[in-house]
Amino acid sequence: MHPLARLDHQYVWHPFTQMRDWLRQEPIVIVAGRGPWLRDVHGREYLDANASIWTNLHGHNHPRLNAALIRQLRKIAHSSALGLANEPASLLAAELVRAAHMPGSGVRPSHQRLSKVFYSDDGSTALEVALKLAYEFTRRTRGPASRPRFLSLQGAYHGDTLGAVALGHIPLFHQTWRGLLFKTDTVMAPYCYRCPYNRARPERADARLYRQCRWECIEVVARQLERQRRMRGEPYAAFVVEPLIQGAAGMIPQPQGWLTRIAELLRLHNTLLIADEVMTGFGRVGLPLPPPRQPDRAPLFACQLENVSPDFLCLAKGLTGGYLPLAATLTTREVFDAFLGRYEEFKTFFHGHSYTANQLGTATALENLRLLRTRASLRARLRLQQALAETLPALWDVPQVGDIRQVGLVVGIELVRDWTTREPFDLREQAGIRVCRAMARRGVLTRPIGNVIVLMPPYCTTPAQIRKIVETLMLACEETLGRPSRARSKSRVRKPSIR
Ligand SMILES: Cc1ncc(COP(=O)(O)O)c(C=O)c1O
């Protein structure tokens, strides 16, 4: 075993990892990266097919991000945001507000709703900030008798700090901590592939395309919002949603129009919308088709694709292009104003972190936004979106593929025991884990979510590399789950959906 792997085994405790299994085999120790590639201590190269847990945008070791980071390092690495402003944090806040502006809305960027930026460190803290602000804003606007409650989606994952965990609804991750948490409510997520209201028989196509329903999922939310008002005498403080696609829930996409309808309901019910775009932000959910010609007009956030303007926009992961931990919670002037007052009124938002608005992070994030605004980035994202749409249908030949869900540059492939009945694999069989291990042996790295294989490569990944990733997945399925049938399924393969 390599000495670094031995040190890891001796000292490091890995997140979301059964360490007994981890200690059974030599870990892959990464020493370098370039573009979509990662290299380990033995010189083996791997395609980073999940962009280092959904963080990396433009590829590793990007010359412009490196240069921005080094430029900032020559000036200063960090000074506190408690009592001091700093150069890249001020510039970045203005750029984030501009990016969150709804292109084509007719509203001038200087008049837009999301106009204040609170920095923190990662996705979980971005959600904590939104949660605390929404809680206190609700009490201040509705009065001290208000008991703000939160609603989030079935299968929701919003991070691992306790407030974020309280918003989560994945029993495997969240049940253990129940005794530490405040109560939140959950409501059905639009999971077309396994929706009880979808009357369609399984087909070899993304379930959103062939579903047969009457949008009952919206009625369910409407009833839940009504019930809260009736039973507790006031609406929910906020509904927390990952717009367009839920990530850790299993890459569960919403049918087009779901978000718009939900936003309308929330407005009627005087309930705030907290958009968790930790995963979906910064172009991940792709471009509208046909794409805008001007990079400046290309939406960077999932909410923008449905013309929805949330009350809170939580950003992390891709904010620095996958370089450094940094997060931002954007909110409205209305929320900001509720925290203004004379000092002795103590309306201050008493919350912050030592590294809030760190200069290395904010300088890198600023360059990341500039990169996203280039024609080259727009072209690369479009090319990747199309390469995925053209390559993924080959996976319908794999009998264990039940659903292929692509939202822009995010893909979830749900493995099932029997696609004709949607019968799932028992989690204890570790179908997803075994398939990903077999992919790693062939030079492609990703992590499953249960039985769902995630593909979310950096934007610089080429069509040829996408083909390699998909072929590797097919071979890995064959090796671990059994041979695919020779003939393509008789069932019709529909044209892929790309958002
Ligand atoms: C949608 C979403 N929100 C929040 C988080 C938490 O982010 P972090 O791991 O940076 O705390 C994640 C992490 O995967 C996420 O996917």
Side-chain angles (χ1 to χ4, degrees):
M1 190 178 291
H2 191 278
L4 290 173
R6 211 171 309 123
L7 284 177
D8 176 279
H9 270 189
Q10 199 169 346
Y11 295 115
V12 182
W13 188 343
H14 287 261
F16 282 96
T17 302
Q18 177 42 255
M19 291 305 288
R20 197 162 76 165
D21 293 341
W22 178 265
L23 295 173
R24 284 201 183 115
Q25 53 190 1
E26 179 166 356
I28 297 172
V29 181
I30 299 299
V31 290
R34 184 167 295 277
W37 295 99
L38 294 170
R39 197 170 72 236
D40 75 4
V41 272
H42 300 293
R44 283 184 299 237
E45 298 222 305
Y46 304 86
L47 280 168
D48 187 1
N50 80 344
S52 295
I53 209 71
W54 321 345
T55 58
N56 193 287
L57 300 188
H58 312 284
H60 298 277
N61 226 327
H62 194 283
R64 279 186 53 177
L65 294 176
N66 291 2
L69 183 50
I70 292 165
R71 262 197 317 274
Q72 181 57 45
L73 195 51
R74 289 209 180 96
K75 295 185 191 169
I76 186 170
H78 181 70
S79 63
S80 171
L82 279 71
L84 298 170
N86 79 58
E87 182 187 6
S90 306
L91 294 171
L92 176 64
E95 280 306 309
L96 285 174
V97 166
R98 191 164 79 90
H101 175 251
M102 214 61 73
S105 64
V107 179
R108 272 183 286 150
S110 53
H111 285 66
Q112 80 139 3
R113 295 189 68 229
L114 293 172
S115 56
K116 294 288 170 185
V117 179
F118 194 97
Y119 289 115
S120 62
D121 306 337
D122 50 46
S124 309
T125 56
L127 265 295
E128 295 288 336
V129 169
L131 191 61
K132 281 182 164 180
L133 287 177
Y135 176 84
E136 191 51 17
F137 173 76
T138 304
R139 284 184 358 120
R140 287 182 189 182
T141 49
R142 289 187 193 161
S146 169
R147 296 278 170 272
R149 273 177 85 90
F150 292 85
L151 183 65
S152 48
L153 287 172
Q154 234 165 35
Y157 175 82
H158 297 290
D160 289 331
T161 51
L162 289 179
V165 170
L167 295 171
H169 300 289
I170 302 180
L172 190 62
F173 298 168
H174 300 140
Q175 194 89 344
T176 315
W177 320 115
R178 178 162 283 177
L180 293 172
L181 307 175
F182 58 91
K183 177 99 181 65
T184 66
D185 291 337
T186 179
V187 69
M188 93 173 275
Y191 183 3
C192 297
Y193 183 61
R194 296 198 178 279
C195 178
Y197 299 110
N198 178 6
R199 286 166 282 113
R201 303 249 311 267
E203 288 187 26
R204 305 310 269 157
D206 180 329
R208 286 173 297 167
L209 287 181
Y210 64 86
R211 74 185 200 279
Q212 287 173 23
C213 70
R214 286 187 288 269
W215 285 99
E216 287 90 339
C217 55
I218 296 288
E219 287 163 29
V220 172
V221 176
R223 281 201 297 275
Q224 181 73 29
L225 295 171
E226 284 294 343
R227 191 175 310 126
Q228 159 72 19
R229 207 194 268 269
R230 213 176 42 248
M231 309 275 285
R232 302 191 186 272
E234 65 174 320
Y236 284 109
F239 189 15
V240 187
V241 173
E242 277 184 88
L244 298 199
I245 178 164
Q246 284 183 282
M251 295 302 151
I252 299 177
Q254 296 142 18
Q256 208 156 353
W258 182 88
L259 185 64
T260 314
R261 289 170 162 88
I262 292 296
E264 278 162 18
L265 280 177
L266 296 181
R267 208 175 26 252
L268 286 176
H269 282 267
N270 191 21
T271 295
L272 301 168
L273 173 60
I274 299 178
D276 177 351
E277 295 228 25
V278 168
M279 177 189 82
T280 56
F282 303 103
R284 255 302 154 204
V285 289
L287 294 157
L289 295 176
R293 283 162 185 274
Q294 297 296 332
D296 238 21
R297 297 191 73 80
L300 287 182
F301 302 110
C303 282
Q304 293 168 325
L305 285 171
E306 292 226 358
N307 262 321
V308 164
S309 179
D311 300 280
F312 295 90
L313 179 64
C314 302
L315 306 172
K317 288 198 188 275
L319 173 55
T320 58
Y323 266 52
L324 288 161
L326 178 74
T329 305
L330 275 64
T331 191
T332 59
R333 174 159 277 281
E334 206 187 345
V335 171
F336 179 79
D337 284 350
F339 289 78
L340 299 181
R342 280 176 288 109
Y343 179 80
E344 59 276 19
E345 288 180 275
F346 301 119
K347 285 176 142 188
T348 307
F349 181 40
F350 290 106
H351 180 105
H353 306 276
S354 309
Y355 284 98
T356 291
N358 168 264
Q359 279 99 325
L360 295 180
T362 47
T364 312
L366 199 53
E367 192 64 17
N368 171 42
L369 279 179
R370 289 188 189 125
L371 272 174
L372 285 167
R373 293 288 184 215
T374 59
R375 280 190 196 285
S377 169
L378 195 65
R379 271 199 305 273
R381 283 182 275 151
L382 191 60
R383 183 180 67 167
L384 179 56
Q385 186 167 328
Q386 283 169 341
L388 286 167
E390 282 160 23
T391 314
L392 290 168
L395 287 167
W396 292 122
D397 279 349
V398 178
Q400 296 88 2
V401 166
D403 198 23
I404 303 174
R405 312 191 267 264
Q406 180 189 357
V407 177
L409 315 180
V410 182
V411 180
I413 296 140
E414 182 159 342
L415 302 176
V416 289
R417 184 184 303 289
D418 181 350
W419 76 262
T420 63
T421 60
R422 304 189 184 99
E423 185 195 348
F425 284 109
D426 187 320
L427 271 190
R428 281 168 291 210
E429 291 178 57
Q430 301 188 24
I433 293 175
R434 285 188 290 129
V435 166
C436 287
R437 279 204 196 116
M439 290 174 78
R441 286 195 293 277
R442 292 178 157 85
V444 175
L445 295 181
T446 186
R447 250 180 103 86
I449 302 167
N451 294 324
V452 177
I453 307 297
V454 175
L455 301 182
M456 208 189 294
Y459 300 165
C460 58
T461 309
T462 64
Q465 288 161 344
I466 291 299
R467 284 194 292 279
K468 176 177 158 71
I469 290 171
V470 170
E471 277 160 21
T472 304
L473 173 55
M474 291 174 83
L475 289 171
C477 286
E478 183 173 338
E479 179 189 318
T480 51
L481 307 174
R483 295 188 74 74
S485 59
R486 283 290 144 234
R488 181 175 272 249
S489 153
K490 289 277 183 304
S491 178
R492 192 157 59 98
V493 176
R494 294 194 191 221
K495 267 182 84 64
S497 73
I498 46 175
R499 235 183 147 115

